[in-house]
Amino acid sequence: MKVYADNAATTKMSRSAIDAMLPYMEEVFGNPSSLYTIGQEAAEAVYKAREKFAKALGCTVNEIYFTSGGSEADNQAIRSAAEIGAKRNKKHIISTTFEHHAVLHTLDKLQTEGFDITYLDVHENGLVTAEQVAEAIRPDTCLVTIMYANNEIGTVQPIREIGALCREKKITFHTDAVQAIGHIPVNVKEDNIDMLSLSAHKFHGPKGVGVLYVRKGVYISNLIQGGAQERGKRGGTENVPGIMGAAAAIEEAVKNLGENSEKLLKLRERLIDGLLEIPHSVLNGDRNSRLPGNVNICFEGIEGESLLLLLDAKGISASSGSACTSGSLDPSHVLLAIGRPHEIAHGSLRLSLSEENTEEEIEYIVSEVPKVVYYLRNMSPVWRDLQEGKKDYVIQ
Amino acid sequence: MLYSEIVMDHFMNPRNVGTLDDADGIGEVGNAKCGDIMRIYLKIDNDTITDVKFETFGCGSAIASSSMATEMIKGKPLADALTLTNKAVAEALDGLPAHKLHCSVLAEEAIKDAIKNYYDTHNIEYDPAQFKESGHSHEH
């Protein structure tokens, strides 16, 4: 059986997204900046796509900027707020320790440029609170950037409250909503969001297309200088087919959101219950304030990469926060941020579901994962020491 | 693919997994914090490795390196086992990705550590220079 359970990494494109793209490669291939008919048809199509995103997010079309993806949107949002902050002599930014690297590395760069960054600690349940933000705000704070939902452990942050606080304090609030959009209800007005990043390939759209929402009146600067595309804020000929696919995907995702999340919640709960039956395993992140498709569990005594390779051999595609899968010596910064010790963080498994997953697939995962975990534990010197009482279990 | 066919074979079907109850030497390198620990058990008779087993907590290449290295020393005189290099292990595996080469280093060090343990526990004199501390078994 083949089970794709890594939808937080990327999703399979939907048929409607693919169908929405094709005409803009073969027939209406014109440049939206061109005056002749197929150029103008492309321009109209991009406008309609912009309308779909505006509707999905609860904003106006002029607040939507197409980018090459979530990372570019994050970079542009943070850079813009920093630039205006620096002009006003406000060089303090508030974020969290478990953001995506597109945010963390942009902040690292700003730190070398003289910005002071406060990284809020994340509680063991994978959540930060508006109170923490309130305590961290200073007179020179120019930006708060906190993710909507975490990409590894799926925890959904109290964005509306944090947004309300920032609005009250007149501080720009950006949220990386790459994992949230299309999966849980998001409304930029109701949630008091000034800037929001999203990425189309996380909700069955194409790769290479993102959106930066910027509330009217909030300043943004260019990352990419060029032509007058995106109202002069992002040079470069529009990725018309990609934008069309993204728009079809967001429309479909929002339309089916209620139905999909109901289905996903059932699958997720069954999967969590099934996997936690493995002794010395623990769920990472709050069980309730969590994306409907996210499961992330640590198994004591084993290492994540070998777990993934063995699951792959059984047809299951998943992800891990082990160092070996991150290409560095340290395991997932997210798992460390919620207080998991290194040796436990190495043994994590993330399964991220989509509405295309079936109950049958979930039962297959629930039956195969324990076999692989026991197999690896049987050859693990760490597990032997735990079993023989030479070391204490971290996960009871 | 990240790994060669030989790495995948030794990972999926590791040779010499397990423990030896009557081991003459036991070696262990790595630490759980870094995500890899290798433990090697040796049975030694007449200066020859008559049996070898391993236990590894680690990634695919760590398990494959353990498996390959134990195959390479099984039945060999101790003097030969002491000359086994991480390079030879990596080559026998048809190469490892650059960021995984430390797994082959662990295999070499685990074997040396087990032989040293054998010498120490059997009061056999040896040249300590053979077992230069590489530092890999400590924290990165």
Short mmCIF file of all heavy atoms in Angstrom, two decimals, chain A residues 301-303 305-307 309-310 312-313 323-325 327 329-331 342-343 346-347 375-376 378-382 384-385 388 390-391, chain B residues 1-3 8 11-14 17-19 28 32-35 37-39 41 54-61 63 99-100 102 140:
data_model
loop_
_atom_site.label_atom_id
_atom_site.label_comp_id
_atom_site.label_asym_id
_atom_site.label_seq_id
_atom_site.Cartn_x
_atom_site.Cartn_y
_atom_site.Cartn_z
N GLY A 301 14.24 5.93 22.28
CA GLY A 301 15.21 4.86 21.99
C GLY A 301 15.52 4.61 20.53
O GLY A 301 16.32 3.73 20.21
N ILE A 302 14.88 5.38 19.63
CA ILE A 302 15.19 5.18 18.21
C ILE A 302 15.47 6.52 17.53
O ILE A 302 15.21 7.58 18.09
CB ILE A 302 14.04 4.46 17.45
CG1 ILE A 302 12.77 5.30 17.47
CG2 ILE A 302 13.82 3.08 18.02
CD1 ILE A 302 11.74 4.83 16.47
N GLU A 303 16.00 6.41 16.31
CA GLU A 303 16.39 7.60 15.56
C GLU A 303 15.46 7.73 14.35
O GLU A 303 15.13 6.73 13.70
CB GLU A 303 17.85 7.46 15.15
CG GLU A 303 18.51 8.73 14.67
CD GLU A 303 18.20 9.03 13.23
OE1 GLU A 303 17.91 8.07 12.46
OE2 GLU A 303 18.20 10.21 12.87
N GLU A 305 15.59 9.05 11.20
CA GLU A 305 15.87 8.79 9.79
C GLU A 305 15.69 7.33 9.45
O GLU A 305 15.12 6.98 8.40
CB GLU A 305 17.27 9.26 9.39
CG GLU A 305 17.41 9.31 7.88
CD GLU A 305 18.79 8.94 7.39
OE1 GLU A 305 19.20 7.77 7.56
OE2 GLU A 305 19.46 9.81 6.84
N SER A 306 16.19 6.45 10.32
CA SER A 306 16.02 5.01 10.02
C SER A 306 14.55 4.64 10.04
O SER A 306 14.10 3.81 9.25
CB SER A 306 16.81 4.13 10.99
OG SER A 306 17.28 4.82 12.07
N LEU A 307 13.79 5.30 10.92
CA LEU A 307 12.34 5.07 10.97
C LEU A 307 11.71 5.44 9.62
O LEU A 307 10.92 4.67 9.05
CB LEU A 307 11.77 5.92 12.11
CG LEU A 307 10.27 5.95 12.35
CD1 LEU A 307 9.76 4.57 12.72
CD2 LEU A 307 9.93 6.93 13.47
N LEU A 309 13.16 5.68 6.64
CA LEU A 309 13.59 4.80 5.54
C LEU A 309 12.83 3.48 5.56
O LEU A 309 12.44 2.96 4.52
CB LEU A 309 15.10 4.53 5.65
CG LEU A 309 16.03 5.70 5.34
CD1 LEU A 309 17.47 5.34 5.70
CD2 LEU A 309 15.95 6.10 3.87
N LEU A 310 12.61 2.95 6.76
CA LEU A 310 11.89 1.68 6.86
C LEU A 310 10.41 1.86 6.53
O LEU A 310 9.79 0.99 5.93
CB LEU A 310 12.07 1.07 8.26
CG LEU A 310 13.49 0.56 8.54
CD1 LEU A 310 13.68 0.26 10.01
CD2 LEU A 310 13.81 -0.66 7.70
N ASP A 312 9.32 4.11 4.47
CA ASP A 312 9.30 4.30 3.01
C ASP A 312 9.29 2.95 2.31
O ASP A 312 8.59 2.76 1.32
CB ASP A 312 10.51 5.14 2.59
CG ASP A 312 10.53 5.43 1.10
OD1 ASP A 312 9.46 5.76 0.56
OD2 ASP A 312 11.59 5.32 0.48
N ALA A 313 10.07 2.01 2.86
CA ALA A 313 10.11 0.67 2.26
C ALA A 313 8.73 -0.01 2.35
O ALA A 313 8.43 -0.91 1.57
CB ALA A 313 11.16 -0.18 2.97
N ALA A 323 18.17 14.95 13.47
CA ALA A 323 19.25 15.75 12.88
C ALA A 323 19.60 15.23 11.50
O ALA A 323 19.87 15.99 10.58
CB ALA A 323 20.48 15.69 13.78
N CYS A 324 19.56 13.91 11.34
CA CYS A 324 19.97 13.31 10.08
C CYS A 324 19.05 13.70 8.94
O CYS A 324 19.44 13.65 7.78
CB CYS A 324 20.03 11.80 10.20
SG CYS A 324 21.59 11.28 10.90
N THR A 325 17.82 14.06 9.25
CA THR A 325 16.92 14.47 8.17
C THR A 325 16.97 15.97 7.97
O THR A 325 16.50 16.49 6.98
CB THR A 325 15.46 14.04 8.44
OG1 THR A 325 15.05 14.59 9.67
CG2 THR A 325 15.34 12.54 8.51
N GLY A 327 19.90 17.57 8.04
CA GLY A 327 21.20 17.88 7.46
C GLY A 327 22.11 18.62 8.41
O GLY A 327 23.14 19.14 8.02
N LEU A 329 23.61 18.81 12.80
CA LEU A 329 23.88 17.92 13.94
C LEU A 329 22.76 17.99 14.97
O LEU A 329 22.63 17.12 15.82
CB LEU A 329 25.20 18.30 14.60
CG LEU A 329 26.46 17.93 13.81
CD1 LEU A 329 27.69 18.49 14.49
CD2 LEU A 329 26.57 16.42 13.68
N ASP A 330 21.98 19.06 14.90
CA ASP A 330 20.92 19.22 15.90
C ASP A 330 19.58 18.75 15.36
O ASP A 330 19.26 18.96 14.21
CB ASP A 330 20.81 20.69 16.30
CG ASP A 330 21.93 21.09 17.25
OD1 ASP A 330 22.28 20.26 18.10
OD2 ASP A 330 22.45 22.20 17.12
N PRO A 331 18.79 18.16 16.24
CA PRO A 331 17.45 17.79 15.82
C PRO A 331 16.57 19.04 15.71
O PRO A 331 17.02 20.15 16.00
CB PRO A 331 16.97 16.86 16.93
CG PRO A 331 17.74 17.26 18.13
CD PRO A 331 19.07 17.76 17.63
N HIS A 342 17.40 16.42 23.39
CA HIS A 342 17.96 16.05 22.08
C HIS A 342 17.66 14.60 21.71
O HIS A 342 17.21 14.30 20.61
CB HIS A 342 19.48 16.24 22.08
CG HIS A 342 19.91 17.64 21.78
ND1 HIS A 342 19.67 18.68 22.64
CD2 HIS A 342 20.56 18.17 20.71
CE1 HIS A 342 20.16 19.79 22.12
NE2 HIS A 342 20.70 19.51 20.95
N GLU A 343 17.97 13.67 22.64
CA GLU A 343 17.88 12.25 22.29
C GLU A 343 16.45 11.82 21.99
O GLU A 343 16.21 10.88 21.24
CB GLU A 343 18.50 11.36 23.38
CG GLU A 343 17.86 11.48 24.76
CD GLU A 343 18.53 12.53 25.64
OE1 GLU A 343 18.94 13.58 25.11
OE2 GLU A 343 18.62 12.30 26.86
N HIS A 346 15.38 13.35 18.41
CA HIS A 346 15.88 12.57 17.27
C HIS A 346 14.89 11.48 16.85
O HIS A 346 14.91 11.04 15.70
CB HIS A 346 17.21 11.88 17.62
CG HIS A 346 18.38 12.81 17.63
ND1 HIS A 346 18.80 13.48 16.51
CD2 HIS A 346 19.23 13.17 18.62
CE1 HIS A 346 19.86 14.21 16.82
NE2 HIS A 346 20.13 14.06 18.09
N GLY A 347 14.07 11.05 17.77
CA GLY A 347 13.16 9.94 17.47
C GLY A 347 11.74 10.38 17.17
O GLY A 347 10.79 9.76 17.63
N TYR A 375 11.39 -3.01 15.84
CA TYR A 375 12.56 -3.52 15.12
C TYR A 375 13.78 -2.66 15.43
O TYR A 375 14.85 -3.18 15.76
CB TYR A 375 12.26 -3.53 13.61
CG TYR A 375 13.44 -3.80 12.73
CD1 TYR A 375 13.95 -5.09 12.59
CD2 TYR A 375 14.06 -2.76 12.03
CE1 TYR A 375 15.05 -5.33 11.77
CE2 TYR A 375 15.15 -3.00 11.21
CZ TYR A 375 15.65 -4.28 11.08
OH TYR A 375 16.73 -4.51 10.28
N LEU A 376 13.61 -1.33 15.35
CA LEU A 376 14.75 -0.43 15.60
C LEU A 376 15.14 -0.44 17.07
O LEU A 376 16.32 -0.37 17.41
CB LEU A 376 14.41 0.99 15.15
CG LEU A 376 14.39 1.18 13.63
CD1 LEU A 376 13.84 2.56 13.28
CD2 LEU A 376 15.78 1.00 13.02
N ASN A 378 14.99 -2.92 18.98
CA ASN A 378 15.71 -4.17 19.24
C ASN A 378 17.18 -4.10 18.87
O ASN A 378 17.96 -4.92 19.34
CB ASN A 378 15.04 -5.33 18.48
CG ASN A 378 13.94 -5.94 19.33
OD1 ASN A 378 13.99 -5.89 20.56
ND2 ASN A 378 12.93 -6.49 18.66
N MET A 379 17.55 -3.18 18.01
CA MET A 379 18.98 -3.06 17.70
C MET A 379 19.58 -1.79 18.30
O MET A 379 20.69 -1.40 17.98
CB MET A 379 19.23 -3.11 16.18
CG MET A 379 18.76 -1.93 15.39
SD MET A 379 19.52 -1.91 13.74
CE MET A 379 18.43 -2.97 12.84
N SER A 380 18.84 -1.14 19.20
CA SER A 380 19.31 0.13 19.77
C SER A 380 19.97 -0.08 21.13
O SER A 380 19.34 -0.59 22.06
CB SER A 380 18.13 1.08 19.92
OG SER A 380 18.45 2.14 20.79
N PRO A 381 21.24 0.33 21.27
CA PRO A 381 21.89 0.23 22.58
C PRO A 381 21.23 1.15 23.60
O PRO A 381 21.27 0.86 24.80
CB PRO A 381 23.34 0.67 22.30
CG PRO A 381 23.30 1.44 21.02
CD PRO A 381 22.12 0.94 20.24
N VAL A 382 20.62 2.22 23.15
CA VAL A 382 19.92 3.13 24.07
C VAL A 382 18.72 2.41 24.68
O VAL A 382 18.50 2.44 25.89
CB VAL A 382 19.44 4.39 23.31
CG1 VAL A 382 18.63 5.30 24.23
CG2 VAL A 382 20.62 5.14 22.71
N ARG A 384 18.32 -0.82 24.93
CA ARG A 384 18.80 -1.88 25.82
C ARG A 384 19.07 -1.33 27.22
O ARG A 384 18.65 -1.90 28.23
CB ARG A 384 20.06 -2.54 25.25
CG ARG A 384 20.73 -3.51 26.23
CD ARG A 384 21.87 -4.26 25.60
NE ARG A 384 21.41 -5.03 24.45
CZ ARG A 384 20.76 -6.19 24.52
NH1 ARG A 384 20.52 -6.74 25.71
NH2 ARG A 384 20.36 -6.81 23.45
N ASP A 385 19.78 -0.18 27.25
CA ASP A 385 20.10 0.42 28.55
C ASP A 385 18.84 0.81 29.32
O ASP A 385 18.78 0.68 30.54
CB ASP A 385 21.00 1.65 28.36
CG ASP A 385 22.42 1.25 27.96
OD1 ASP A 385 22.73 0.04 28.03
OD2 ASP A 385 23.21 2.14 27.58
N GLU A 388 17.23 -2.41 30.58
CA GLU A 388 17.98 -3.05 31.66
C GLU A 388 18.09 -2.16 32.89
O GLU A 388 18.81 -2.49 33.84
CB GLU A 388 19.37 -3.46 31.14
CG GLU A 388 19.29 -4.60 30.13
CD GLU A 388 20.64 -4.97 29.52
OE1 GLU A 388 21.65 -4.28 29.82
OE2 GLU A 388 20.69 -5.96 28.75
N LYS A 390 19.56 0.68 33.19
CA LYS A 390 20.81 1.44 33.32
C LYS A 390 20.58 2.92 33.10
O LYS A 390 21.44 3.74 33.40
CB LYS A 390 21.85 0.91 32.33
CG LYS A 390 22.36 -0.48 32.69
CD LYS A 390 23.34 -0.98 31.65
CE LYS A 390 23.70 -2.44 31.93
NZ LYS A 390 24.21 -3.11 30.74
N LYS A 391 19.45 3.23 32.48
CA LYS A 391 19.08 4.64 32.26
C LYS A 391 17.59 4.77 32.56
O LYS A 391 16.85 3.79 32.47
CB LYS A 391 19.30 5.00 30.79
CG LYS A 391 20.63 5.65 30.51
CD LYS A 391 20.65 6.16 29.08
CE LYS A 391 21.91 5.75 28.36
NZ LYS A 391 21.79 5.80 26.92
N MET B 1 18.65 8.96 -5.35
CA MET B 1 18.60 8.38 -4.02
C MET B 1 19.73 8.92 -3.14
O MET B 1 20.84 9.12 -3.62
CB MET B 1 18.67 6.86 -4.09
CG MET B 1 17.43 6.18 -4.66
SD MET B 1 15.93 6.45 -3.71
CE MET B 1 16.20 5.35 -2.32
N LEU B 2 19.43 9.07 -1.88
CA LEU B 2 20.44 9.56 -0.93
C LEU B 2 21.56 8.53 -0.77
O LEU B 2 22.73 8.88 -0.73
CB LEU B 2 19.75 9.81 0.42
CG LEU B 2 20.62 10.22 1.60
CD1 LEU B 2 21.28 11.57 1.35
CD2 LEU B 2 19.76 10.30 2.87
N TYR B 3 21.18 7.26 -0.70
CA TYR B 3 22.15 6.21 -0.40
C TYR B 3 22.37 5.26 -1.57
O TYR B 3 21.46 5.03 -2.37
CB TYR B 3 21.66 5.39 0.80
CG TYR B 3 21.62 6.15 2.10
CD1 TYR B 3 20.48 6.14 2.90
CD2 TYR B 3 22.74 6.85 2.55
CE1 TYR B 3 20.45 6.82 4.11
CE2 TYR B 3 22.70 7.54 3.75
CZ TYR B 3 21.57 7.51 4.53
OH TYR B 3 21.55 8.18 5.72
N MET B 8 21.83 0.73 1.28
CA MET B 8 20.44 0.34 1.53
C MET B 8 20.33 -1.14 1.89
O MET B 8 19.55 -1.53 2.76
CB MET B 8 19.55 0.67 0.31
CG MET B 8 19.20 2.15 0.19
SD MET B 8 18.57 2.91 1.72
CE MET B 8 16.93 2.17 1.81
N PHE B 11 21.50 -1.55 5.37
CA PHE B 11 20.55 -0.94 6.29
C PHE B 11 19.29 -1.82 6.44
O PHE B 11 18.84 -2.10 7.55
CB PHE B 11 20.15 0.46 5.83
CG PHE B 11 18.96 1.02 6.58
CD1 PHE B 11 19.05 1.29 7.94
CD2 PHE B 11 17.75 1.23 5.94
CE1 PHE B 11 17.96 1.76 8.65
CE2 PHE B 11 16.64 1.71 6.64
CZ PHE B 11 16.76 1.97 8.00
N MET B 12 18.79 -2.27 5.30
CA MET B 12 17.55 -3.05 5.33
C MET B 12 17.78 -4.46 5.89
O MET B 12 16.90 -5.04 6.50
CB MET B 12 16.93 -3.16 3.93
CG MET B 12 16.52 -1.84 3.30
SD MET B 12 15.27 -0.91 4.22
CE MET B 12 13.84 -1.94 4.00
N ASN B 13 18.98 -5.02 5.58
CA ASN B 13 19.30 -6.38 6.04
C ASN B 13 20.63 -6.37 6.79
O ASN B 13 21.61 -6.91 6.31
CB ASN B 13 19.42 -7.33 4.84
CG ASN B 13 18.23 -7.19 3.90
OD1 ASN B 13 17.11 -7.55 4.23
ND2 ASN B 13 18.49 -6.62 2.73
N PRO B 14 20.66 -5.71 7.93
CA PRO B 14 21.95 -5.57 8.61
C PRO B 14 22.52 -6.92 9.04
O PRO B 14 21.79 -7.79 9.52
CB PRO B 14 21.63 -4.68 9.81
CG PRO B 14 20.16 -4.78 10.00
CD PRO B 14 19.56 -5.06 8.67
N VAL B 17 23.70 -8.13 13.70
CA VAL B 17 22.99 -7.35 14.72
C VAL B 17 22.81 -8.19 15.97
O VAL B 17 22.53 -9.39 15.88
CB VAL B 17 21.57 -6.96 14.23
CG1 VAL B 17 20.82 -6.20 15.34
CG2 VAL B 17 21.65 -6.08 13.01
N GLY B 18 22.97 -7.57 17.12
CA GLY B 18 22.69 -8.26 18.37
C GLY B 18 23.79 -8.06 19.40
O GLY B 18 24.56 -7.09 19.32
N THR B 19 23.84 -8.98 20.35
CA THR B 19 24.84 -8.87 21.42
C THR B 19 25.55 -10.22 21.57
O THR B 19 25.09 -11.23 21.03
CB THR B 19 24.18 -8.56 22.77
OG1 THR B 19 23.31 -9.65 23.12
CG2 THR B 19 23.37 -7.28 22.72
N GLU B 28 31.99 1.23 22.73
CA GLU B 28 30.84 2.10 22.46
C GLU B 28 31.32 3.51 22.16
O GLU B 28 32.13 4.06 22.89
CB GLU B 28 29.88 2.12 23.64
CG GLU B 28 28.67 2.99 23.35
CD GLU B 28 27.63 2.97 24.48
OE1 GLU B 28 27.26 1.87 24.92
OE2 GLU B 28 27.20 4.06 24.88
N ALA B 32 23.71 9.86 22.44
CA ALA B 32 22.31 9.96 22.01
C ALA B 32 21.94 11.39 21.66
O ALA B 32 21.08 11.63 20.82
CB ALA B 32 21.39 9.43 23.11
N LYS B 33 22.62 12.33 22.29
CA LYS B 33 22.33 13.74 22.04
C LYS B 33 22.57 14.07 20.56
O LYS B 33 21.83 14.83 19.95
CB LYS B 33 23.24 14.58 22.94
CG LYS B 33 22.83 16.02 23.05
CD LYS B 33 23.60 16.71 24.18
CE LYS B 33 23.20 18.17 24.26
NZ LYS B 33 24.04 19.05 23.45
N CYS B 34 23.64 13.47 20.00
CA CYS B 34 23.96 13.73 18.59
C CYS B 34 23.16 12.82 17.66
O CYS B 34 23.21 12.98 16.44
CB CYS B 34 25.43 13.50 18.33
SG CYS B 34 26.48 14.56 19.30
N GLY B 35 22.47 11.85 18.23
CA GLY B 35 21.63 11.01 17.38
C GLY B 35 22.31 9.76 16.87
O GLY B 35 21.76 9.08 16.00
N ILE B 37 24.69 6.26 18.36
CA ILE B 37 25.50 5.48 19.30
C ILE B 37 25.74 4.12 18.67
O ILE B 37 24.82 3.50 18.15
CB ILE B 37 24.78 5.27 20.65
CG1 ILE B 37 24.63 6.59 21.40
CG2 ILE B 37 25.54 4.28 21.52
CD1 ILE B 37 24.00 6.44 22.76
N MET B 38 27.01 3.70 18.70
CA MET B 38 27.34 2.38 18.19
C MET B 38 28.00 1.57 19.29
O MET B 38 28.87 2.07 19.98
CB MET B 38 28.36 2.53 17.06
CG MET B 38 27.87 2.07 15.72
SD MET B 38 29.12 2.46 14.50
CE MET B 38 28.18 3.53 13.44
N ARG B 39 27.53 0.34 19.44
CA ARG B 39 28.13 -0.55 20.44
C ARG B 39 28.55 -1.83 19.72
O ARG B 39 27.76 -2.40 18.97
CB ARG B 39 27.11 -0.86 21.53
CG ARG B 39 27.69 -1.54 22.75
CD ARG B 39 26.62 -1.76 23.81
NE ARG B 39 26.23 -0.53 24.49
CZ ARG B 39 25.18 -0.43 25.30
NH1 ARG B 39 24.41 -1.49 25.54
NH2 ARG B 39 24.89 0.71 25.89
N TYR B 41 30.37 -5.70 20.02
CA TYR B 41 30.73 -6.83 20.90
C TYR B 41 31.67 -7.74 20.13
O TYR B 41 31.36 -8.13 19.00
CB TYR B 41 29.48 -7.63 21.28
CG TYR B 41 28.40 -6.84 21.99
CD1 TYR B 41 27.50 -6.05 21.27
CD2 TYR B 41 28.27 -6.90 23.39
CE1 TYR B 41 26.50 -5.33 21.92
CE2 TYR B 41 27.25 -6.18 24.03
CZ TYR B 41 26.39 -5.40 23.30
OH TYR B 41 25.39 -4.70 23.93
N PHE B 54 26.75 -6.12 16.70
CA PHE B 54 26.64 -4.68 16.97
C PHE B 54 25.21 -4.30 17.34
O PHE B 54 24.25 -5.00 16.98
CB PHE B 54 27.11 -3.85 15.77
CG PHE B 54 26.08 -3.69 14.68
CD1 PHE B 54 25.13 -2.66 14.72
CD2 PHE B 54 26.04 -4.58 13.60
CE1 PHE B 54 24.17 -2.52 13.71
CE2 PHE B 54 25.08 -4.44 12.60
CZ PHE B 54 24.15 -3.41 12.64
N GLU B 55 25.12 -3.17 18.05
CA GLU B 55 23.83 -2.50 18.29
C GLU B 55 24.04 -1.03 17.95
O GLU B 55 25.03 -0.44 18.37
CB GLU B 55 23.43 -2.60 19.77
CG GLU B 55 23.00 -4.00 20.19
CD GLU B 55 22.57 -4.04 21.64
OE1 GLU B 55 23.32 -3.51 22.50
OE2 GLU B 55 21.49 -4.57 21.92
N THR B 56 23.13 -0.48 17.20
CA THR B 56 23.27 0.92 16.80
C THR B 56 21.96 1.68 16.94
O THR B 56 20.91 1.19 16.54
CB THR B 56 23.81 1.03 15.35
OG1 THR B 56 25.15 0.55 15.33
CG2 THR B 56 23.79 2.46 14.85
N PHE B 57 22.08 2.86 17.53
CA PHE B 57 20.99 3.84 17.56
C PHE B 57 21.47 4.91 16.60
O PHE B 57 22.50 5.53 16.84
CB PHE B 57 20.87 4.39 18.99
CG PHE B 57 20.12 5.70 19.11
CD1 PHE B 57 18.74 5.71 19.29
CD2 PHE B 57 20.79 6.92 19.08
CE1 PHE B 57 18.06 6.92 19.43
CE2 PHE B 57 20.11 8.12 19.23
CZ PHE B 57 18.74 8.12 19.41
N GLY B 58 20.78 5.06 15.49
CA GLY B 58 21.24 6.06 14.54
C GLY B 58 20.54 5.96 13.21
O GLY B 58 19.62 5.17 13.03
N CYS B 59 21.04 6.76 12.27
CA CYS B 59 20.38 6.86 10.97
C CYS B 59 20.75 5.67 10.09
O CYS B 59 21.51 4.79 10.47
CB CYS B 59 20.76 8.16 10.30
SG CYS B 59 22.52 8.35 10.06
N GLY B 60 20.22 5.66 8.89
CA GLY B 60 20.44 4.57 7.96
C GLY B 60 21.91 4.30 7.71
O GLY B 60 22.35 3.14 7.71
N SER B 61 22.69 5.35 7.53
CA SER B 61 24.10 5.14 7.22
C SER B 61 24.88 4.66 8.45
O SER B 61 25.88 3.97 8.32
CB SER B 61 24.73 6.41 6.66
OG SER B 61 24.63 7.46 7.58
N ILE B 63 23.65 2.56 10.72
CA ILE B 63 23.36 1.13 10.81
C ILE B 63 24.11 0.38 9.70
O ILE B 63 24.74 -0.65 9.94
CB ILE B 63 21.83 0.89 10.74
CG1 ILE B 63 21.19 1.41 12.04
CG2 ILE B 63 21.51 -0.59 10.52
CD1 ILE B 63 19.68 1.48 12.03
N HIS B 99 27.76 14.48 4.37
CA HIS B 99 27.37 14.77 5.76
C HIS B 99 27.11 13.50 6.56
O HIS B 99 26.75 13.57 7.73
CB HIS B 99 26.16 15.70 5.80
CG HIS B 99 24.90 15.12 5.23
ND1 HIS B 99 24.74 14.89 3.90
CD2 HIS B 99 23.76 14.73 5.83
CE1 HIS B 99 23.54 14.38 3.69
NE2 HIS B 99 22.92 14.26 4.84
N LYS B 100 27.33 12.33 5.93
CA LYS B 100 27.13 11.05 6.63
C LYS B 100 28.46 10.33 6.85
O LYS B 100 28.47 9.22 7.40
CB LYS B 100 26.21 10.13 5.83
CG LYS B 100 24.83 10.71 5.58
CD LYS B 100 23.98 10.63 6.82
CE LYS B 100 22.55 10.98 6.51
NZ LYS B 100 21.70 10.84 7.67
N HIS B 102 30.70 10.81 8.90
CA HIS B 102 31.03 10.59 10.31
C HIS B 102 30.50 9.24 10.81
O HIS B 102 31.01 8.71 11.79
CB HIS B 102 30.50 11.74 11.18
CG HIS B 102 29.03 11.72 11.38
ND1 HIS B 102 28.15 12.22 10.45
CD2 HIS B 102 28.26 11.22 12.38
CE1 HIS B 102 26.91 12.06 10.90
NE2 HIS B 102 26.95 11.45 12.06
N HIS B 140 29.57 16.98 20.18
CA HIS B 140 29.98 17.80 19.04
C HIS B 140 30.11 19.26 19.47
O HIS B 140 29.35 19.72 20.28
CB HIS B 140 28.94 17.72 17.93
CG HIS B 140 28.90 16.38 17.27
ND1 HIS B 140 29.86 15.96 16.39
CD2 HIS B 140 28.04 15.36 17.41
CE1 HIS B 140 29.55 14.73 15.99
NE2 HIS B 140 28.46 14.35 16.59
#
